[in-house]
């Protein structure tokens, strides 16, 4: 793996664990086993540019994972509930690390880092668009699919915060049940 790839990966892991403010560049470079000068060689914009690149990289990986979980056969409400249950298990198994660095950074930086807020907004929009396409392919109307995609992402991100804070998978399971109920309603309305 190249230096820039190792640095980007190490940054993403640190963002997930520590947030943006808690991520130190020296720690990222040490974790990446990269020389000090490599940060500005690969990321002339420094920490912000590296964070943006890392968030985009991890967002693409997370999108593939979520699409894989939601693209399985079965009734949509059950598929959604199962995906949330898997996320709850993964979070508990990780020692309550937030599973989503995008949500961690978005919640932390709000308007303090407008460039990174724009990156996280771009990512969330891309996830909503992908979810909408997936739900349309399962038979929902565009509007209903967008509603369900937005609710799914919002519920999951909020549940991650609660689960991490409470050290309990219950919020993720509850969010999954709520999203599954919404999906069941939308599927019935369509039928």
């Amino acid at each position: 793996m190249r230096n820039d790839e190792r640095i980007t990966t190490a940054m993403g892991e640190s963002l997930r664990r520590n947030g943006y403010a808690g991520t130190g560049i020296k720690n990222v470079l040490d974790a990446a086993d990269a020389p000090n000068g490599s940060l500005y060689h690969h990321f002339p914009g420094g920490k912000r540019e590296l964070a943006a690149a890392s968030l985009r990289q991890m967002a693409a990986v997370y999108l593939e994972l979520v699409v894989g979980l939601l693209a399985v056969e079965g009734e949509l409400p059950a598929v959604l509930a199962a995906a949330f249950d898997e996320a709850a298990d993964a979070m508990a198994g990780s020692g309550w690390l937030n599973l989503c660095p995008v949500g961690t950074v978005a919640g932390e930086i709000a308007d303090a880092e407008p460039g990174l807020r724009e990156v996280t907004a771009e990512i969330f929009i891309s996830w909503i668009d992908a979810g909408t396409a997936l739900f349309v392919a399962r038979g929902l109307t565009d509007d209903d699919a967008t509603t369900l995609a937005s609710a799914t992402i919002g519920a999951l991100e909020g549940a991650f915060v609660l689960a991490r804070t409470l050290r309990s998978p219950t919020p993720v399971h509850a969010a999954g049940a709520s999203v599954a109920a919404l999906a069941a309603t939308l599927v019935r309305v369509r039928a």
Side-chain angles (χ1 to χ4, degrees):
M1 190 182 292
R2 299 183 333 239
N3 271 350
D4 61 327
E5 293 169 334
R6 287 195 320 273
I7 294 168
T8 304
T9 300
M11 180 65 157
E13 186 59 26
S14 185
L15 290 173
R16 186 170 75 94
R17 292 176 177 273
N18 307 311
Y20 183 75
T23 293
I25 291 302
K26 181 178 181 341
N27 293 341
V28 169
L29 293 173
D30 288 348
D33 193 29
N36 287 338
S38 60
L39 173 69
Y40 290 103
H41 173 75
H42 295 291
F43 304 96
K47 182 177 177 180
R48 283 183 192 94
E49 183 179 342
L50 174 56
S54 180
L55 288 168
R56 286 184 177 112
Q57 177 190 51
M58 293 191 81
V61 170
Y62 280 60
L63 180 59
E64 280 185 40
L65 173 66
V66 170
V67 167
L69 288 171
L70 297 179
V72 299
E73 292 294 320
E75 295 296 319
L76 184 56
V79 168
L80 282 164
F84 274 76
D85 289 345
E86 284 191 42
D89 293 345
M91 193 166 194
S94 75
W96 307 109
L97 294 177
N98 192 338
L99 296 182
C100 182
V102 179
T104 299
V105 172
E108 174 189 10
I109 54 116
D111 292 323
E113 292 284 346
L116 289 179
R117 189 209 55 79
E118 290 173 11
V119 169
T120 58
E122 160 197 314
I123 291 166
F124 284 136
I125 289 167
S126 74
W127 287 353
I128 291 167
D129 290 346
T132 298
L134 185 67
F135 297 143
V136 165
R138 284 185 163 258
L140 295 181
T141 66
D142 285 339
D143 288 345
D144 287 348
T146 300
T147 295
L148 184 57
S150 297
T152 300
I153 292 165
L156 191 58
E157 292 296 340
F160 284 161
V161 171
L162 286 173
R164 186 176 191 188
T165 302
L166 300 175
R167 300 293 197 253
S168 169
T170 300
V172 183
H173 291 299
S178 296
V179 170
L182 173 60
T185 299
L186 295 174
V187 168
R188 274 194 306 275
V189 167
R190 175 189 57 106

